[in-house]
Amino acid sequence: RIIQWHYGNVRSRLAMYIFCSKALADALNIKKNELQKMPVDAQIDELYAWHGHITKLNGKNTIILMNDRTMYSLIFRNRLPRNVDKFAELIKEAIPYTMEVGGFNNPEIDKYMSGVGEIIFAEKADRQMTGNLTRMFLDMEYTCDRWQENESVQAEQAAFENNGIRRQGKEYVKPFERMLDEVVNQREEE
């Protein structure tokens, strides 16, 4: 069984991929054979591809999902889901909420969300993305003073992190600006 989840009642020709680390897959009780295998040369829209990992920060499990193209991040903490269906629902709520708190306007949020389609949990080893996630966790050990103890989606901490400078390949980017640019200039769906 491949674990998939559909955004609302909309089935788009696009899919949103969540590439799980082994630790995140274990935390969500996803067996290795339930993750979709992705060939190295798979053609996917990186704007709808995210890498995820879970680790402890300040003694609490924290999940980061980082967008493959923009390094824009979603942060989860407190009352984390223990299964993939609940996590998919939480992702559906977290994207527009984090974008709104981070400064996106509603038309931009709607434009991104209209392309989400189905959420597919998959495995793909990308050392660069794994390194980027590790760097963010290390940075957050010093910057994580914006935790909302009653919320699972840590939108304010994510907004702070997304407005910082991150290294992507050989250039330095602000994930918020990169994501905004990508969403605004996204090709219109036919």
Side-chain angles (χ1 to χ4, degrees), residues 7 12 14-18 45-50 67-68 70 72 74 91 95-96 99 104-117 179 182-184 186:
Y7 175 67
S12 171
L14 295 176
M16 180 177 195
Y17 290 89
I18 307 297
D45 185 349
E46 286 188 339
L47 188 58
Y48 293 94
W50 300 72
N67 186 272
D68 285 15
T70 66
Y72 192 82
L74 306 174
I91 292 169
I95 293 172
M99 290 176 102
F104 284 85
N105 295 320
N106 284 337
E108 296 153 351
I109 296 169
D110 292 343
K111 186 174 183 181
Y112 183 80
M113 293 304 293
S114 70
V116 168
M179 185 69 154
E182 291 288 339
V183 170
V184 167
Q186 182 178 344

Side-chain angles (χ1 to χ4, degrees), residues 5 10-11 21 28 31 50 55 66 69 76-77 81-82 88 90 112 140 150-151 159 162 173 186:
W5 183 82
V10 178
R11 275 203 68 150
S21 67
L28 296 173
K31 292 178 179 58
W50 300 72
T55 194
M66 183 179 284
R69 183 177 297 164
F76 304 90
R77 185 178 169 100
R82 299 276 185 224
L90 189 59
Y112 183 80
M140 284 177 55
N150 297 324
E151 295 185 26
N162 288 326
V173 300
Q186 182 178 344

Side-chain angles (χ1 to χ4, degrees), residues 7-188:
Y7 175 67
N9 293 325
V10 178
R11 275 203 68 150
S12 171
R13 62 187 173 100
L14 295 176
M16 180 177 195
Y17 290 89
I18 307 297
F19 298 109
C20 299
S21 67
K22 182 180 181 328
L24 181 57
D26 290 346
L28 296 173
N29 296 314
I30 304 173
K31 292 178 179 58
K32 187 169 176 73
N33 63 347
E34 293 177 334
L35 290 170
Q36 182 167 324
K37 307 280 188 270
M38 296 298 295
V40 175
D41 60 346
Q43 297 296 316
I44 61 170
D45 185 349
E46 286 188 339
L47 188 58
Y48 293 94
W50 300 72
H51 272 73
H53 184 58
I54 185 170
T55 194
K56 283 200 183 287
L57 276 177
N58 296 26
K60 287 194 175 184
N61 282 335
T62 304
I63 297 172
I64 296 178
L65 293 184
M66 183 179 284
N67 186 272
D68 285 15
R69 183 177 297 164
T70 66
M71 295 183 73
Y72 192 82
S73 300
L74 306 174
I75 302 172
F76 304 90
R77 185 178 169 100
N78 305 322
R79 299 185 316 273
L80 295 175
R82 299 276 185 224
N83 69 57
V84 72
D85 295 325
K86 288 187 179 176
F87 189 53
E89 289 175 26
L90 189 59
I91 292 169
K92 178 185 106 173
E93 295 168 12
I95 293 172
Y97 177 51
T98 301
M99 290 176 102
E100 182 178 14
V101 169
F104 284 85
N105 295 320
N106 284 337
E108 296 153 351
I109 296 169
D110 292 343
K111 186 174 183 181
Y112 183 80
M113 293 304 293
S114 70
V116 168
E118 58 188 336
I119 294 179
I120 300 172
F121 290 84
E123 70 175 350
K124 174 181 162 190
D126 184 337
R127 289 181 181 216
Q128 183 174 0
M129 285 304 298
T130 303
N132 290 338
L133 282 165
T134 301
R135 168 57 52 200
M136 187 167 173
F137 276 115
L138 291 172
D139 290 348
M140 284 177 55
E141 288 180 357
Y142 301 101
T143 63
C144 59
D145 56 353
R146 292 161 191 81
W147 297 129
Q148 304 296 319
E149 293 302 324
N150 297 324
E151 295 185 26
S152 294
V153 179
Q154 299 293 318
E156 288 189 25
Q157 182 69 38
F160 175 80
E161 298 295 336
N162 288 326
N163 278 299
I165 295 175
R166 299 243 164 250
R167 185 168 183 194
Q168 187 175 33
K170 294 184 178 183
E171 63 181 317
Y172 290 89
V173 300
K174 277 191 165 183
F176 167 78
E177 291 174 1
R178 177 68 57 96
M179 185 69 154
L180 180 62
D181 184 55
E182 291 288 339
V183 170
V184 167
N185 297 316
Q186 182 178 344
R187 190 172 58 97
E188 295 295 323

